[in-house]
Amino acid sequence: MSDKRIYLTTPIYYVNARPHIGHAYTTIVCDVVRRYYRLLGYDTYFLTGTDEHGTKVLQAAEREGLTPLQFADRNSQAFRDLWPQLSIVPDDFIRTTEARHKRVVARILQNLYDRGEIYFERYGGPYCVGCERFFTETELAESGGLCPDHQTQPVWIEEQNYFFRMSNYQQWLIDHIRANPDFIRPERYRNEILSFLAEPLRDLCISRPASRLPWGIPLPFDPNYVTYVWFDALVNYVSALDWPDGERFARYWPAAEHYIAKDILKPHAVYWPTMLRAAGIPVYRHLNVHGYWKSGEFKMSKSLGNVTNPLDLATVYGVDALRYFLMREMVFGLDAAFEETAFNERYNSNLADDLGNLLSRLTAMIHKYCGGRVPPAHALEPDDEAVLAQADAVVRSAPQWLDELKFHQLIEETLQAVRALNRYINDRAPWALARQGRRDRVETILHTAARGAVVALQLLEPVMPTKMAEALSWFGLEMNPAGIDLQLLKVGAPVAAGQVLFPKVRLDEEKPAETTGAAKPAVAAAIKNPKSTLQNGKPAMSEITFEEFQKLDLRVARVLEAAPVEGAQKLVRLLIDLGAEQRQIVAGIAQHYAPEQLVGKTIVVVANLAPRKLRGLLSQGMLLAAHDGDALRLVTTDAACAPGSPVS
Ligand code: MSP
């Protein structure tokens, strides 16, 4: 990259779904990339936001008895609130319902219309409401006449609409992609677009009659129509920079890097560059396209209902570990499986064992052999130099891996350096040297290992900012904002020992305890509380103090929905009303109650139990029940009681 600026964008997410791992991934990638570039001295700008117009939003709002704006306000806020909880710090959050955005959309449309780039024509075709777009017969032929994403039959719609002369830009786009081989990357997506462009490109329908879709931005030259979703959404990337005269537009637009998943490749690789070209705006620098997070065989998506809430995992493993897993597991460009077992495995082996272990043994030895202060290095031997060279080489290669979107490799090479440091300590055995009284050698080895560890911590800081800052502080250090500093370690600084950065998390069998449905944790909340009060599914009878009892948050809840859990005879899935919120609980009571008996019941739940997974379903609490021989009776209240009422 020539200049030292970078403008990173995520897609603006539809407000008709709650944020899930898929959304979190793209946004975390941008946050991580921006943190790396900032360390490399770049002037960075990072934009995310929400896409709020369209039929789906209108329909979802109607279902909830809200106006579309009320609905969008609430759901946009869910995204905005989530990002800081995942240590994501965007510079701006744009909403397509904001005046600053609508103004720019109208201006671009008017400009194109005035210059004859937009025309009016009757059009008929198969239309998918889910996708909010017309399909071509060829597209549908490939998927047996059904919408490939929604598996529904498109409806035939005929109407007059406005069209953008996209076809005029076909050859220009092909030439641009050919002349700029990494315009769309990785290469597989560039090839996909080039083969799409080998067929004649049609003009783009850019409007919907306001009578059919009242929730959109009106066309400035015809108020009977609103803009088609993409003509509205894509413009966010420049409206957020105050196109055309904004200082930020001049500063950051030439360095635009869009990050998306392959689901929205075509609008970003074809519609958007041709729109920009027609409007006389230079095109973005790179379109960076990643694959899908899948759950089993399928893309994780709201419509398939197989989504994971990022906070569920962050609650158990920590935010930094979630960021680490997402960045390390997915090879950017390819699909990846999202499985808690893989997460657990990586967490325990890479973070708890490799990195965590290096830090804890190193700090412990510095205490034991060097008085708790960073020791000096004396004469370096080739082995010492080699292990440092490995970590330093990662720092040197990092910019290239970043530029090539090889985030997994950057992380893996850093972990290789960490493993090499562990081997180095094992091989050099400073404890044996200490017994031989070779103090200089012990100091040199521990200094070398600490220097290497501190380089690794800095390399991982953009991925795990909180944990890496914490570990650096054990050595009395902070990140140098000017960049990764190979000499950051300070001889003589006091070192903190005895702390655990990543406590191990054990995945228990997903086998429910007899009664409660709060089965043995799939995630090891119990590890944090080794004196678990459940033994073999039965309460242990040891005495507890009043203070211990007070730690339980018992609440009244009402069962809203109940359904069997496929493949699990004992489990039932409940949706409960807890007053301020609704939650899902998976309970082992299916052999005692039919789902329909449960709906409407008032129950008592432990509301502050760490969430856990049963058969892949999240259980956010545990209900109370009494055992009478083989029978089981739910604990309830003896008169009506508001959901959420505390029980003590
Ligand atoms: N609103 C449009 C985008 C307009 S951008 C000008 C949209 N919204 S979306 O809510 O459906 O978000 C799609 C994006 O969310 C993907 O491109 C990707 O960034 C992220 N993901 C959603 N599900 C995903 C996976 N299962 N896997 C990976 N990323 C996913 O499309």
Side-chain angles (χ1 to χ4, degrees), residues 617-628:
L617 296 171
L618 188 73
S619 188
Q620 302 165 290
M622 153 178 155
L623 58 75
L624 298 188
H627 304 262
D628 181 7

Side-chain angles (χ1 to χ4, degrees), residues 11-14 20 22-23 26 51 261 263-264 290 292-293 300:
I12 47 170
Y13 304 111
Y14 287 132
H20 60 68
H23 308 116
T26 321
D51 188 355
D263 51 349
I264 48 178
H290 63 79
Y292 290 151
W293 283 100
M300 200 183 267

Side-chain angles (χ1 to χ4, degrees), residues 346-358 502-504:
R346 264 206 201 288
Y347 173 86
N348 283 333
S349 66
N350 296 7
L351 297 182
D353 287 345
D354 295 336
L355 184 58
N357 203 18
L358 173 66
F502 298 105
K504 277 228 171 173

Side-chain angles (χ1 to χ4, degrees), residues 122-426:
R122 170 161 292 282
Y123 179 77
Y127 184 84
C128 171
V129 178
C131 297
E132 305 205 30
R133 75 173 179 101
F134 286 101
F135 276 81
T136 62
E137 299 296 350
T138 341
E139 282 175 305
L140 292 180
E142 285 165 13
S143 54
L146 299 181
C147 162
D149 285 346
H150 295 90
Q151 294 298 309
T152 49
Q153 182 92 44
V155 283
W156 185 268
I157 288 190
E158 213 169 293
E159 61 195 17
Q160 283 191 301
N161 262 315
Y162 287 90
F163 288 81
F164 161 50
R165 296 190 191 279
M166 192 160 72
S167 56
N168 282 355
Y169 296 93
Q170 175 161 15
Q171 194 52 49
W172 165 81
L173 182 57
I174 295 172
D175 294 344
H176 185 80
I177 296 173
R178 292 229 169 98
N180 299 276
D182 59 359
F183 179 59
I184 302 166
R185 56 188 189 174
E187 199 182 357
R188 52 175 40 219
Y189 299 110
R190 167 183 190 260
N191 296 341
E192 194 176 318
I193 290 300
L194 281 176
S195 63
F196 171 74
L197 290 171
E199 301 295 319
L201 186 63
R202 297 157 62 111
D203 288 344
L204 183 68
C205 176
I206 61 152
S207 65
R208 296 288 177 266
S211 55
R212 182 154 68 78
L213 174 60
W215 182 235
I217 303 179
L219 297 185
F221 42 86
D222 187 345
N224 294 322
Y225 286 83
V226 299
T227 43
Y228 166 57
V229 152
W230 284 108
F231 227 92
D232 172 350
L234 289 162
V235 170
N236 90 87
Y237 300 130
V238 295
S239 64
L241 298 182
D242 293 334
W243 176 85
D245 312 316
E247 191 265 328
R248 273 173 310 167
F249 179 75
R251 189 177 182 85
Y252 294 111
W253 182 247
E257 299 278 336
H258 297 315
Y259 284 80
I260 59 165
K262 60 186 178 182
D263 51 349
I264 48 178
L265 173 62
K266 205 187 291 177
H268 281 80
V270 179
Y271 306 173
W272 184 222
T274 54
M275 283 163 64
L276 287 166
R277 179 76 180 169
I281 305 173
V283 290
Y284 53 78
R285 188 160 62 188
H286 292 126
L287 179 62
N288 306 295
V289 189
H290 63 79
Y292 290 151
W293 283 100
K294 291 187 156 186
S295 183
E297 283 297 286
F298 301 102
K299 176 191 176 196
M300 200 183 267
S301 85
K302 183 208 167 204
S303 38
L304 295 175
N306 58 351
V307 296
T308 303
N309 177 345
L311 287 182
D312 294 343
L313 286 153
T315 309
V316 177
Y317 292 87
V319 170
D320 283 340
L322 173 68
R323 292 169 60 107
Y324 178 86
F325 175 75
L326 294 176
M327 295 301 297
R328 171 62 190 84
E329 186 76 5
M330 182 171 262
V331 176
F332 195 93
L334 304 180
D335 292 348
F338 193 89
E339 277 163 19
E340 195 185 328
T341 43
F343 189 144
N344 182 267
E345 160 68 26
R346 264 206 201 288
Y347 173 86
N348 283 333
S349 66
N350 296 7
L351 297 182
D353 287 345
D354 295 336
L355 184 58
N357 203 18
L358 173 66
L359 295 169
S360 56
R361 65 202 298 219
L362 191 54
T363 51
M365 281 190 284
I366 291 176
H367 269 257
K368 188 156 178 194
Y369 304 120
C370 310
R373 290 183 179 270
V374 174
H378 305 277
L380 289 189
E381 293 185 2
D383 270 9
D384 311 328
E385 278 166 358
V387 80
L388 285 182
Q390 184 168 351
D392 296 358
V394 182
V395 177
R396 273 198 308 280
S397 303
Q400 190 187 336
W401 287 324
L402 276 177
D403 191 36
E404 293 169 357
L405 309 169
K406 292 183 177 154
F407 314 123
H408 72 289
Q409 187 170 358
L410 203 175
I411 294 172
E412 182 50 30
E413 300 284 345
T414 307
L415 260 286
Q416 291 292 2
V418 165
R419 289 178 199 118
L421 287 164
N422 272 322
R423 278 196 307 275
Y424 164 81
I425 294 176
N426 293 347

